[in-house]
Amino acid sequence: MPSNIGELRHVMLGSIFRPEVPLGPTRDTPITCHAPATGKGKLHGSPECRSLRSAASVNQFDIPFGEAVERLCTNCRWALFMDSPILPLGAAVNDVDCLTIWLDSDPEDEDDIKAERDAAIALSTGDYPPHTNDVSDADEEDNEAGHNEEWERYDRARDLRYGRLSHWRRLHSYLIRSNQAVADYPFLAPWAEGLQSRLTAVLDAERRAFADLVQPTRLLEAAAVRVLPTPQFSGDPGFAGLGAEAERTFRRAWSEWSRRATWSWQRLEDHDFSVYTVVSDAFGRRRKGKPEAHTAFRRLTADWIRQAREEATRPATTPWQLLAVKTPALPRTRHSERERDPLTLWEASVIATYQVAFNRKSGATALLVPHLVAEQLLACASHDMPVQRLAPDGSALPPETLLEQWDHESLTHS
């Protein structure tokens, strides 16, 4: 029985439930309908529906939901009590049915393919155009136009990469939500199976397209930054302008640079601006000694980058590792609200780049990753993103089988 007769929700049942959607026990739930006295035609949620205006008279009656579903008007809203079992089932059906939106997209044309290739070429050198210092005054105007064009090229490449990331994550989230819908209502499984299987193929194609725009070397170097020892402050003459703030600025610069570098998909050099900002903030409006300090910190960051790359290229005593990760879905948002991905750019890039198996029903992924990357992933494991070594005892089973056997639920709830 409804708990409160005033708590009603008006739902367009005819646009949610189609005859092929399994209803399970809810098929016996009565709903109130309106129809012409002749008994023919659609069933309506309100006597005010435009389709009933020409009817000589309208009857109201209750009918089991399963008997009504084939005749539901697609324009009407039905008033349902908030504790009606049809409401949560409708939400689950929506979570499965929305997969169809992504299954029939048009194939990429030649221009799209060229743009992808150009973006991959551009981003292989960094997120921004390489610096050039060999321009004469006579060529300055022409160079400025070329410079602007090159910056626009890199802007397009970054936008394309981020668009690929966003689309892949959105598709993954839709699949995870549909899995939860089937877990809540197992009788939906036969209907959902085909849609989920088709979406998995689309999802993998989008993952590969995103991974093509990411450089694995940068992901490894980012992981190497995490294991670098915290640098010790020394009295560099270039710090003189900072006075008593020198050591504090040094520590802030390292903290900001290492944090950004560790969780990014960019070149290590692309984080130099974070150090520049820290130093500039420390000086405020003062100018004396500022150029010298910037020069000193550029030398520092160059040294940090050198150390990270040495660590990344050091011969590994531990072979590549097979990990399992349960990637979280994007949190649900309200209309026009911005999506906030719980994954960092580094985590998303690693998962897309190193995937060797994917279990559609659990949403878990098997990754074969370098040791440094494995250690960082394991360090950032959480309740929302469980991570575990998949074959710690050297199992020879294929990743797909190991992934199917992985009990990530025990990690999540422990």
Side-chain angles (χ1 to χ4, degrees):
M1 294 293 293
S3 57
N4 187 333
I5 197 168
E7 294 182 3
L8 293 172
R9 234 180 115 183
H10 295 79
V11 184
M12 298 181 71
L13 297 179
S15 64
I16 298 174
F17 293 95
R18 297 189 301 277
E20 67 268 23
V21 177
L23 302 178
T26 59
R27 67 180 300 105
D28 297 324
T29 304
I31 62 170
T32 300
C33 295
H34 302 81
T38 59
K40 297 180 179 179
K42 295 288 186 180
L43 301 179
H44 303 270
S46 168
E48 305 301 323
C49 181
R50 289 179 297 175
S51 301
L52 292 174
R53 289 176 182 172
S54 59
S57 61
V58 176
N59 292 338
Q60 176 181 313
F61 52 91
D62 289 346
I63 182 174
F65 186 43
E67 295 180 23
V69 73
E70 293 191 17
R71 297 174 57 194
L72 296 177
C73 172
T74 56
N75 298 315
C76 279
R77 293 181 182 272
W78 271 259
L80 301 178
F81 292 114
M82 292 297 290
D83 56 0
S84 168
I86 296 175
L87 288 178
L89 175 61
V93 168
N94 271 331
D95 279 344
V96 175
D97 194 47
C98 70
L99 303 185
T100 59
I101 299 172
W102 310 104
L103 297 180
D104 298 316
S105 58
D106 295 330
E108 293 185 332
D109 59 26
E110 189 61 32
D111 288 340
D112 292 331
I113 295 172
K114 287 180 179 178
E116 293 271 350
R117 290 173 181 164
D118 185 66
I121 293 171
L123 294 171
S124 67
T125 65
D127 273 34
Y128 306 96
H131 294 290
T132 54
N133 299 312
D134 55 349
V135 181
S136 66
D137 292 340
D139 296 330
E140 185 175 350
E141 186 174 340
D142 290 341
N143 181 71
E144 183 176 353
H147 176 80
N148 292 339
E149 184 177 331
E150 192 69 356
W151 273 90
E152 289 174 2
R153 177 194 180 205
Y154 277 79
D155 287 344
R156 289 193 300 270
R158 292 195 304 274
D159 288 345
L160 201 155
R161 179 181 58 190
Y162 192 78
R164 284 294 192 186
L165 165 63
S166 299
H167 194 201
W168 169 59
R169 291 288 291 131
R170 197 170 295 119
L171 291 178
H172 175 269
S173 300
Y174 283 131
L175 179 62
I176 297 304
R177 291 170 191 163
S178 72
N179 282 340
Q180 186 59 55
V182 172
D184 293 340
Y185 297 96
F187 56 82
L188 292 177
W191 168 63
E193 178 75 23
L195 294 176
Q196 291 178 319
S197 179
R198 290 172 60 198
L199 185 79
T200 301
V202 176
L203 175 66
D204 192 59
E206 197 65 27
R207 176 192 66 82
R208 292 174 183 274
F210 166 53
D212 285 344
L213 301 174
V214 174
Q215 302 297 314
T217 299
R218 292 174 196 158
L219 305 178
L220 179 60
E221 291 174 353
V225 171
R226 189 184 67 88
V227 301
L228 292 182
T230 302
Q232 298 299 309
F233 175 74
S234 60
D236 190 305
F239 298 162
L242 289 164
E245 288 290 303
E247 184 171 357
R248 181 171 176 270
T249 303
F250 174 88
R251 302 203 180 285
R252 281 188 59 210
W254 163 254
S255 176
E256 190 69 14
W257 181 85
S258 60
R259 179 182 64 82
R260 290 177 179 271
T262 299
W263 299 111
S264 176
W265 54 21
Q266 295 178 317
R267 290 188 320 157
L268 298 180
E269 287 84 354
D270 290 335
H271 304 290
D272 287 358
F273 187 72
S274 62
V275 175
Y276 179 90
T277 301
V278 167
V279 176
S280 294
D281 289 347
F283 272 93
R285 295 187 176 184
R286 292 181 294 118
R287 299 187 59 83
K288 185 177 180 181
K290 190 173 181 179
E292 292 81 3
H294 280 306
T295 299
F297 274 94
R298 278 196 296 271
R299 289 196 299 267
L300 272 177
T301 51
D303 190 52
W304 298 340
I305 291 169
R306 177 190 59 75
Q307 292 178 49
R309 290 198 170 129
E310 286 179 356
E311 186 67 37
T313 55
R314 193 187 307 278
T317 56
T318 305
W320 284 41
Q321 298 182 43
L322 191 62
L323 299 184
V325 56
K326 182 70 163 56
T327 311
L330 296 169
R332 292 182 187 270
T333 57
R334 296 180 180 179
H335 180 65
S336 77
E337 207 174 38
R338 184 180 178 183
E339 291 176 332
R340 296 187 179 277
D341 197 333
L343 294 182
T344 65
L345 297 179
W346 183 87
E347 289 166 342
S349 300
V350 164
I351 293 167
T353 300
Y354 293 103
Q355 177 179 309
V356 291
F358 179 70
N359 187 288
R360 169 171 62 80
K361 294 184 178 180
S362 68
T365 306
L367 308 174
L368 185 61
V369 296
H371 171 69
L372 283 173
V373 174
E375 292 305 310
Q376 178 155 319
L377 266 181
L378 289 164
C380 66
S382 66
H383 178 276
D384 294 327
M385 192 182 79
V387 183
Q388 193 174 38
R389 288 185 175 87
L390 200 50
D393 300 324
S395 173
L397 291 173
E400 292 82 0
T401 304
L402 292 170
L403 198 59
E404 190 172 345
Q405 296 173 352
W406 182 46
D407 183 16
H408 60 82
E409 292 294 338
S410 65
L411 289 178
T412 303
H413 296 107
S414 60

